[in-house]
Amino acid sequence: MCGHAVALEGLGLVPEARDFLSGAFDLAEYVGDSRVAAQAAVRYVYPVDWYAGDARAAALLQRAEAMDLDESAAVAVKASRAMVEMRIPIGPSDGQQLAWITRASVAQPLAEEALEASDGTLPEARLCALLAWRTTHRAPAHLQRRREVSSEALDLAQRLRAPGLQVNAAVMLANDALES
C-alpha cells in the first residue's frame, strides 16, 4: 500500500501520492484495519517540510490515534503528529507561504514521548520517532543530541532502504555538521 505512494512520490507525483494515501486511510478505517490506516496516516505526513501544519494530515493522525493501535503504530502516529504540530502555516490562501507559527511547546513533548517509547518497536516506528525529534528540536541548545539522533536516523533509513527518508536524514545530519 505505502509502496505505491512511495513510487508515486519517486516519480514526482506527490499530490497524487497523498490522494492515494488519503483514500487508503479511509478504506482501512472503514474495514477496521488500524495497522494499514496508521501506515497511511504516517506516510501522508511526508515530505515533512512541505506539509508541516497540514490540516488533512492532522485530521488523519487524530483519527488514527482513536484506533486500537499496536505499540509501534502508536509511536509512529505520535511522532508524525509532533512533526505536523511543530509549524502551523499562516498567510494568504492562494498557496503562497509567508509565515509560520512555531509550536515547540506542543510538538517537542510529543516527539520526546515518541522517541522514549520507540525503544524496542519496529525499525520504521523508531525511524519516524528519530525524524520527529530532530524536526522539532532545531534550536542550537539541542545540537549535540541532534547530531546523535540524525546519525541514528540516517543509519536506520539506509538499513530500511528508504531513499526519501535517507535524503531527509542526510540533510538533517549535514545541517547539524554545518552548525557544529
Side-chain angles (χ1 to χ4, degrees):
M1 183 272 313
C2 286
H4 181 72
V6 170
L8 287 170
E9 286 176 6
L11 293 170
L13 303 172
V14 175
E16 290 83 353
R18 289 170 56 84
D19 289 344
F20 173 79
L21 289 167
S22 179
F25 179 90
D26 290 340
L27 183 58
E29 184 181 44
Y30 178 75
V31 298
D33 190 336
S34 61
R35 183 186 58 81
V36 171
Q39 286 177 343
V42 167
R43 188 67 207 169
Y44 191 88
V45 170
Y46 295 97
V48 173
D49 287 335
W50 290 12
Y51 294 107
D54 182 74
R56 178 72 175 147
L60 290 176
L61 291 167
Q62 188 175 40
R63 288 166 53 194
E65 281 181 323
M67 297 177 148
D68 183 26
L69 301 174
D70 65 31
E71 185 179 5
S72 291
V75 164
V77 167
K78 183 177 282 198
S80 298
R81 196 170 134 235
M83 289 186 277
V84 169
E85 297 286 344
M86 183 61 183
R87 295 184 302 153
I88 306 297
I90 57 172
S93 61
D94 64 358
Q96 286 288 46
Q97 184 56 53
L98 300 177
W100 299 88
I101 295 173
T102 303
R103 299 176 1 139
S105 63
V106 173
Q108 285 180 347
L110 288 171
E112 289 168 7
E113 289 172 20
L115 188 58
E116 284 179 26
S118 70
D119 285 332
T121 61
L122 292 174
E124 295 83 2
R126 176 72 177 173
L127 178 57
C128 191
L130 290 164
L131 293 174
W133 191 94
R134 174 53 184 85
T135 298
T136 59
H137 290 74
R138 295 183 180 203
H142 303 291
L143 181 58
Q144 182 60 38
R145 179 74 173 133
R146 281 189 356 230
R147 292 178 67 193
E148 296 167 10
V149 167
S150 296
S151 294
E152 185 181 345
L154 180 56
D155 289 344
L156 191 51
Q158 288 172 332
R159 278 187 273 143
L160 291 172
R161 294 192 171 112
L165 299 179
Q166 283 177 332
V167 170
N168 195 0
V171 168
M172 290 175 178
L173 185 57
N175 184 24
D176 296 340
L178 288 171
E179 284 187 38
S180 293

